[in-house]
């Protein structure tokens, strides 16, 4: 992480625009989805019969590097924002709005499962033990043969959100200089 780049927290409200979840080649969250076998076991090989993919969409508090016409910056999603986005995803009936690479809408991709990781409640998928609680996961069924072929080839590897929301700059992260403050910080993550 570069300290000279500002960090912005996403502020997802009722006015935010929610388009879809995109299937992409290199997800900004740097985590690939996995393919599920018919028996429900996690396999990194493709299973033609099930055609399901599962993985994180947003990882809580992960800094996501962006560079565009505004310059360089990081984006970050809080647990509260992630929960609101997951709710709005279904409330706005966008579970059938899958696309590829944020540009091509595709029929035949249906998001049918959504959950927020919560280890204490037993909601912690195998293969993603390193993803923090408060992160949002989805499962999609892929009937579209062209999309499935790209997944098989490894050309599409993860999920990315496709929405427009406001964000506000986080001035500075809290400096932790005592063990007691560090323990409080860990307990509040």
């Amino acid at each position: 992480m570069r300290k000279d780049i500002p960090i912005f927290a996403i502020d997802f409200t009722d006015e935010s625009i929610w388009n879809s979840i995109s299937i992409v080649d290199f997800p900004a969250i740097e985590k690939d989805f996995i393919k599920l076998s018919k028996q429900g076991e996690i396999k990194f090989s493709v299973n033609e019969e099930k055609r399901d993919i599962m993985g994180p969409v947003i990882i809580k508090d992960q800094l996501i590097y962006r560079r565009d016409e505004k310059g360089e910056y990081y984006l970050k999603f809080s647990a509260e924002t992630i929960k609101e986005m997951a709710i709005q995803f279904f409330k706005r009936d966008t579970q059938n709005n899958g696309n590829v690479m944020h540009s091509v809408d595709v029929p035949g991709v249906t998001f049918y499962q959504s959950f927020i990781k919560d280890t204490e409640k037993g909601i912690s998928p195998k293969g993603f033990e390193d993803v923090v609680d408060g992160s949002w996961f989805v499962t999609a069924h892929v009937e579209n043969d062209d999309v499935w072929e790209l997944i098989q080839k490894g050309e599409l590897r993860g999920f990315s959100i496709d929405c427009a929301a406001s964000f506000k700059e986080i001035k500075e992260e809290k400096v932790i200089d005592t063990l007691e403050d560090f323990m409080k910080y860990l307990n509040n993550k």
Side-chain angles (χ1 to χ4, degrees):
M1 177 182 133
R2 288 182 34 201
K3 301 235 182 232
D4 61 329
I5 298 177
I7 300 171
F8 293 93
I10 297 295
D11 188 20
F12 197 84
T13 66
D14 287 339
E15 290 79 40
S16 299
I17 298 169
W18 183 251
N19 294 325
S20 64
I21 293 176
S22 189
I23 302 172
V24 297
D25 53 359
F26 297 104
I29 60 169
E30 299 177 354
K31 280 281 181 205
D32 294 351
F33 51 60
I34 57 173
K35 301 160 198 100
L36 301 175
S37 75
K38 189 172 185 181
Q39 294 76 27
E41 299 169 352
I42 293 174
K43 300 230 180 196
F44 291 91
S45 61
V46 175
N47 182 293
E48 279 293 331
E49 294 177 49
K50 190 127 181 169
R51 292 178 86 153
D52 287 350
I53 51 178
M54 188 270 292
V57 179
I58 306 171
I59 298 176
K60 183 187 86 139
D61 292 333
Q62 179 183 19
L63 295 179
I64 301 171
Y65 176 77
R66 302 279 95 192
R67 189 169 93 191
D68 58 25
E69 65 278 351
K70 297 174 194 137
E72 293 179 277
Y73 55 94
Y74 291 104
L75 293 177
K76 178 169 139 170
F77 296 83
S78 69
E80 295 81 20
T81 297
I82 291 170
K83 181 179 177 183
E84 184 59 30
M85 292 179 83
I87 290 168
Q88 291 296 326
F89 179 68
F90 288 98
K91 191 174 184 180
R92 296 180 186 190
D93 200 27
T94 52
Q95 62 271 21
N96 290 313
N97 293 3
N99 72 42
V100 173
M101 300 300 296
H102 295 288
S103 63
V104 180
D105 290 338
V106 292
V109 176
T110 303
F111 293 92
Y112 70 90
Q113 190 174 57
S114 170
F115 60 90
I116 307 271
K117 182 177 178 182
D118 187 336
T119 306
E120 280 188 27
K121 292 180 181 174
I123 305 169
S124 183
K126 290 180 186 176
F128 294 102
E129 292 81 5
D130 60 330
V131 175
V132 297
D133 282 2
S135 300
W136 180 24
F137 285 76
V138 295
T139 304
H141 181 67
V142 181
E143 294 175 298
N144 185 299
D145 292 334
D146 295 330
V147 173
W148 189 248
E149 184 177 335
L150 293 171
I151 291 168
Q152 286 181 312
K153 291 179 179 177
E155 293 178 29
L156 297 175
R157 303 179 358 200
F159 297 117
S160 180
I161 59 167
D162 193 355
C163 68
S166 60
F167 46 91
K168 50 190 164 201
E169 186 171 2
I170 300 170
K171 294 297 179 192
E172 274 189 52
E173 296 288 329
K174 182 179 178 188
V175 176
I176 301 172
D177 52 9
T178 68
L179 180 58
E180 183 180 342
D181 285 344
F182 181 68
M183 294 309 289
K184 286 180 190 174
Y185 169 77
L186 287 178
N187 290 329
N188 289 324
K189 277 196 100 165

